[in-house]
Amino acid sequence: MGDIVNKPGRLRPAPENFLSEEQVKAVAAGRRDFLRKSFLAAGAAIAAPLAARASEGDPAILTLPEWSTSLGQPVATRPYGMPSKYESQLLRRESPGLARVGGASVSFCPLQGLFGIITPSGLHFERHHQGWHDIDPSRHRLMINGSDDSLLKKPKVYTMDELMRLPSVSRIHFIECGANTGLEWGNVAVPTVQYTHGMLSCSEFTGVPLKLLLEDCGVDYKKARYVLAEGADGSSMTRTIPMEMVESGEVFVAYGMNGEMLRPENGYPLRLVVPGVQGVSWVKWLRRIEVGDQPYATKDEAVHYIDLQPNGLHRQYTSIQEAKSVITTPSGGQTLLDKGFYNVSGVAWSGRGKIKQVDVSFDGGINWQTARIEGPVQNKALTRFNIAWVWDGKPAILQSRAIDETGFVQPTYGQLRKVRGTKSIYHNNAIQSWKVVESGEITNVQVL
Amino acid sequence: MSRFSKSILVLALVGASTATFAFDSFKGVGRPATSAEVKAWDIDVRPDFKGLPKGSGNVERGNELFEEKCASCHGSFGESNEVFTPLAGGTTADDIKTGRVKGLSSGELPQRTTFTKVSTISTVFDYIQRAMPWTAPKSLKPDEVYAILAYLLNLQEIVPGDFTLSDKNIGDVQKLLPNRNGMTTDHGMWPGASAKKGGIGNGGKPDTDNKACMKNCKPEVLIGSTLPEYARTAHGELAEQYRSFGPVRGTRTLGPEAAKKAAEATTMELATKSGCMACHGMKSKIVGPGYNEVMTRYAGQPDAEGKLVAKVKAGGAGAWGSIPMPPNGHLADEDIKTLVKWILSGAK
């Protein structure tokens, strides 16, 4: 297999950018040189002179490419820059069969191809409850009122012009859907990290602490212990948020995301940021905040986003995303090109604060090594980890295990199911396992 | 416990930093909301029925409205699983007595419905009022919401067929909800004050307790589940979902014929994205007619395309049965034309 694709830059280009199933099988069966033969045949047929020169060195070096021998494009050819045409395969994708209607569905973020901790805005995962709109910011309003007059002195209305005049904060936070990895509660169901963990993104958000707005309206913190956030879309989605989080200054109404305005799919022009809490509470297209003296039992906290336990009770108002991690490279649905060195890389996060440590196992959890964390580590944000691995060509099972600053250690599937069974749908933060076989193919497995 | 007090400390520090913004007022920013404005937007209904509008509606009226506005997605009896999870079914007379849906723990329930889960009737009223019907949210008057809810309660055998639901008796209905005692807040995942301090939950105590063992942590590796073969290919060509360079390649799962299929699937995707596939199948009736049935009926008619485009846009009823097709004003004209051409040319 080393002979197959290891050759770009080492004198023989690969014929294809992937291994076919047959190739994988052939390699697995020990026929490691079969592709070399097919290459030579193909090369001879297509370009004999090139093949001849290949013996002197790499044609990518010896024959100057057109980008070295012609004039490039002028500035502002693309006034809003786009990724390279060679990056077209990393896209938000739906999981077939998950939802029947695109307006109430999910598109998953391609974690398998991302670096660092910031999600490119165009690849941020989507979850809409009744479709998305591109709202005219000049007609968008934020209303703040109380469930009765005694909780808030002055109900007020703010325009975007006004909100953007107020003191702002910029903070990096992860956002994860409560149902992320929900397809996997009972058994392995999906092939890649995009579908197992892709309802996860991380951005720098900019906006105004909700606390400032509530105080501007004369909130009575003694009586008003809950906040209802409401969207301006068709579903006008609502969720209850504890006032303790608002008072801490953590919760803010955001208009900025990664240096520009929010994308329409992510709530343009205004969304709530509730760090560490599941995405459904980060209400998009935010139109109204109500302060109240009791929780609201909205549809998404009384019919959905409730966690069924083995005793038949549903856990209600589960909100925090507990510590979790996943290896993104290499991961399920990928094939290793060769034996030898790999940088194993992934992300860890916790809704209870900072990530303190990430351990990685290559033998299915018998032995663990501590990975290198890329700092600075942010509060309630994705944290990138890396660890060196030399693959010897033998079967392996890769796992990562996050530990957050509270000392909480990410659980195994066995531990999680022992308490919560397999029908919870929400809040699956179990240790993910990727199995590597001799052919280099990696698949999703669950280790108990 | 120390974990909790530490996080309080951190929160307090964050709070202090924002306090530096504390002006007496943000002069010139924001204005008082008028009472008409608050009334227009403050439509939420709480479990204690604060916010509930006055009004009433009976089961019979609800049945009519449901057939007209809801059945195309939810089925005539709220039983449909075609578009959304079912609304009705799955509870027993005994559940109504106990307030706990037994099927949730016994494993007898094939699928959870809204009424096997919900413990607060306010939730259902609130959601119908704010978000339904699917393509025309917030168009129902309070009396219509009462009527539709009355019909759903009757389907669930909570109220009799001659029942009229109103703001006066909704509290009595709450006492009959089959899963009214089915929620627990005894968990550590509420990010606010604990129940002991007047809030919710146990104050953040996790329910799992893994240890960070590093060496010889267990005698063997137990694999609980592996990727089923169908799941390996159900997500399309994985080789095309990763870069064509870098340390690894996406695994080839389908083969070259997949690309051809994908091209054919483009209009199909448009139909799916536009929500058509929720009610229409290729060949046969789901809620509305199958595309091939439509093609057969319109074959040879003058301006079949124009007629169908108009129908898709405005919606209609009667041509294929009593369940109406909702209007599709949200779709672009060009997309509607593409879809209609595709249907008339034998969609596949």
Side-chain angles (χ1 to χ4, degrees), chain A residues 82-141:
Chain A
M82 297 295 288
S84 160
K85 64 184 175 184
Y86 299 104
E87 294 296 312
S88 63
Q89 311 207 106
L90 292 166
L91 300 172
R92 296 194 281 226
R93 293 174 194 270
E94 286 188 87
S95 183
L98 186 61
R100 304 294 285 268
V101 188
S105 187
V106 172
S107 72
F108 295 81
C109 173
L111 299 175
Q112 68 272 25
L114 303 188
F115 314 112
I117 62 170
I118 297 293
T119 309
S121 295
L123 296 177
H124 191 297
F125 82 94
E126 295 171 278
R127 166 73 168 117
H128 314 308
H129 290 250
Q130 213 147 331
W132 62 272
H133 295 272
D134 197 352
I135 290 179
D136 177 354
S138 71
R139 292 167 59 202
H140 188 71
R141 303 287 181 270

Side-chain angles (χ1 to χ4, degrees), chain A residues 145-149 228 230 288 290-296, chain B residues 38-55 121-130 140-143 145-146 166-168 170:
Chain A
N145 71 310
S147 62
D148 67 54
D149 296 343
L228 181 79
E230 180 180 83
R288 193 170 71 94
E290 176 176 305
V291 300
D293 54 7
Q294 58 172 263
Y296 287 81
Chain B
V38 173
K39 197 181 162 206
W41 275 12
D42 184 357
I43 57 171
D44 65 271
V45 181
R46 297 199 312 197
D48 63 352
F49 301 116
K50 188 165 239 175
L52 185 73
K54 287 194 166 49
I121 192 68
S122 59
T123 305
V124 191
F125 188 100
D126 175 276
Y127 187 63
I128 296 172
Q129 175 172 260
R130 75 172 54 245
L140 297 169
K141 296 179 177 66
D143 284 351
V145 179
Y146 279 107
S166 73
D167 56 296
K168 304 283 186 303
I170 195 168

Side-chain angles (χ1 to χ4, degrees), chain A residues 184-299:
Chain A
E184 303 261 310
W185 262 107
N187 51 271
V188 172
V190 291
T192 74
V193 72
Q194 178 159 19
Y195 306 108
T196 57
H197 289 75
M199 286 193 261
L200 171 72
S201 295
C202 184
S203 298
E204 184 199 61
F205 294 96
T206 297
V208 184
L210 180 56
K211 175 188 164 82
L212 299 185
L213 296 170
L214 295 188
E215 287 167 10
D216 188 44
C217 295
V219 66
D220 181 347
Y221 282 131
K222 281 208 183 79
K223 289 182 188 161
R225 299 312 302 159
Y226 297 91
V227 163
L228 181 79
E230 180 180 83
D233 58 322
S235 77
S236 289
M237 220 209 58
T238 42
R239 279 281 298 187
T240 306
I241 291 140
M243 190 62 89
E244 288 82 7
M245 277 197 84
V246 177
E247 287 175 286
S248 78
E250 274 192 296
V251 178
F252 58 105
V253 298
Y255 44 80
M257 180 164 116
N258 297 332
E260 58 183 2
M261 283 296 290
L262 290 162
R263 296 289 173 95
E265 299 94 317
N266 303 118
Y268 182 93
L270 197 67
R271 88 173 305 170
L272 200 62
V273 171
V274 193
V277 167
Q278 60 187 357
V280 68
S281 291
W282 297 42
V283 172
K284 296 190 282 189
W285 314 292
L286 183 71
R287 77 165 190 182
R288 193 170 71 94
I289 294 285
E290 176 176 305
V291 300
D293 54 7
Q294 58 172 263
Y296 287 81
T298 72
K299 186 264 286 177

Side-chain angles (χ1 to χ4, degrees), chain A residues 17-21 87 89-90 93 95-96 100-101 104 112-113 115 129-130 141 143 145 147-148 155-158 162 165-167 187-191 195 211-212 226 230 233-236 238 242 244-245 248 250 287-288 290 293-294 296-299 302-304 306 308 311-320 333-337 342 352 363-368 370 397 401 403 406 408-410 415 419-420 423 425 427 441 444-448, chain B residues 3 6 11 14-15 18 21 25-33 37-38 41-48 50 81-85 100 104-105 112 114 117-118 120 123 127 130-134 137-138 179 181-185 187-193 198-200 204 206-208 210-218 221-228 231-232 234-235 238-253 272 278:
Chain A
N17 293 319
F18 48 79
L19 298 181
S20 74
E21 206 162 357
E87 294 296 312
Q89 311 207 106
L90 292 166
R93 293 174 194 270
S95 183
R100 304 294 285 268
V101 188
Q112 68 272 25
F115 314 112
H129 290 250
Q130 213 147 331
R141 303 287 181 270
M143 179 186 290
N145 71 310
S147 62
D148 67 54
K156 285 183 81 168
V157 172
Y158 301 88
E162 290 163 334
R165 283 167 67 181
L166 292 174
N187 51 271
V188 172
V190 291
Y195 306 108
K211 175 188 164 82
L212 299 185
Y226 297 91
E230 180 180 83
D233 58 322
S235 77
S236 289
T238 42
E244 288 82 7
M245 277 197 84
S248 78
E250 274 192 296
R287 77 165 190 182
R288 193 170 71 94
E290 176 176 305
D293 54 7
Q294 58 172 263
Y296 287 81
T298 72
K299 186 264 286 177
V303 178
H304 302 303
I306 51 176
L308 179 60
N311 62 6
L313 288 171
H314 285 92
R315 286 182 178 174
Q316 194 176 24
Y317 302 116
T318 48
S319 303
I320 293 174
Q334 299 179 336
T335 299
L336 298 173
L337 299 181
Y342 285 90
R352 289 204 175 91
D363 60 9
I366 295 174
N367 296 291
W368 297 83
T370 297
I397 293 178
R401 179 179 71 190
I403 306 173
T406 71
F408 176 83
V409 183
Q410 186 183 359
Q415 289 165 339
V419 216
R420 302 190 204 160
K423 295 187 174 152
I425 297 180
H427 302 111
E441 183 175 350
N444 182 5
V445 297
Q446 289 181 354
V447 172
L448 297 177
Chain B
R3 173 187 309 133
K6 190 175 165 193
L11 298 188
V14 174
T18 58
F21 297 138
S25 72
F26 295 117
K27 201 173 176 185
V29 177
R31 62 160 177 84
E37 288 171 339
V38 173
W41 275 12
D42 184 357
I43 57 171
D44 65 271
V45 181
R46 297 199 312 197
D48 63 352
K50 188 165 239 175
N81 194 26
E82 286 291 338
V83 187
F84 301 104
T85 49
R100 284 282 302 272
L104 291 171
S105 54
R112 284 178 286 170
T114 296
K117 293 185 280 185
V118 73
T120 38
T123 305
Y127 187 63
R130 75 172 54 245
M132 290 294 112
W134 180 247
K138 302 177 191 67
N179 203 41
N181 300 321
M183 296 286 180
T184 175
T185 52
H187 57 74
M189 294 162 83
W190 174 249
I200 291 172
D207 60 354
T208 60
N210 196 9
K211 300 278 188 282
C213 167
M214 299 303 285
K215 291 279 167 227
N216 299 319
C217 301
K218 53 188 178 184
V221 176
L222 290 174
I223 303 258
S225 173
T226 57
L227 186 72
R232 186 171 179 266
H235 287 71
L238 299 182
E240 289 165 11
Q241 299 178 28
Y242 187 72
R243 282 191 188 89
S244 53
F245 61 96
V248 295
R249 296 290 182 273
T251 304
R252 179 60 95 182
T253 45
T272 308

Side-chain angles (χ1 to χ4, degrees), chain A residues 74-82:
Chain A
V75 298
T77 303
R78 297 171 180 173
Y80 193 100
M82 297 295 288

Side-chain angles (χ1 to χ4, degrees), chain B residues 97-171:
Chain B
K97 272 184 217 150
T98 61
R100 284 282 302 272
V101 172
K102 199 172 161 221
L104 291 171
S105 54
S106 68
E108 290 156 18
L109 206 61
Q111 183 172 17
R112 284 178 286 170
T113 69
T114 296
F115 280 96
T116 60
K117 293 185 280 185
V118 73
S119 64
T120 38
I121 192 68
S122 59
T123 305
V124 191
F125 188 100
D126 175 276
Y127 187 63
I128 296 172
Q129 175 172 260
R130 75 172 54 245
M132 290 294 112
W134 180 247
T135 54
K138 302 177 191 67
S139 62
L140 297 169
K141 296 179 177 66
D143 284 351
E144 294 178 315
V145 179
Y146 279 107
I148 289 168
L149 185 50
Y151 176 66
L152 287 173
L153 291 164
N154 176 247
L155 285 178
Q156 205 61 38
E157 297 173 0
I158 296 168
V159 302
D162 59 358
F163 190 76
T164 300
L165 180 70
S166 73
D167 56 296
K168 304 283 186 303
N169 63 14
I170 195 168

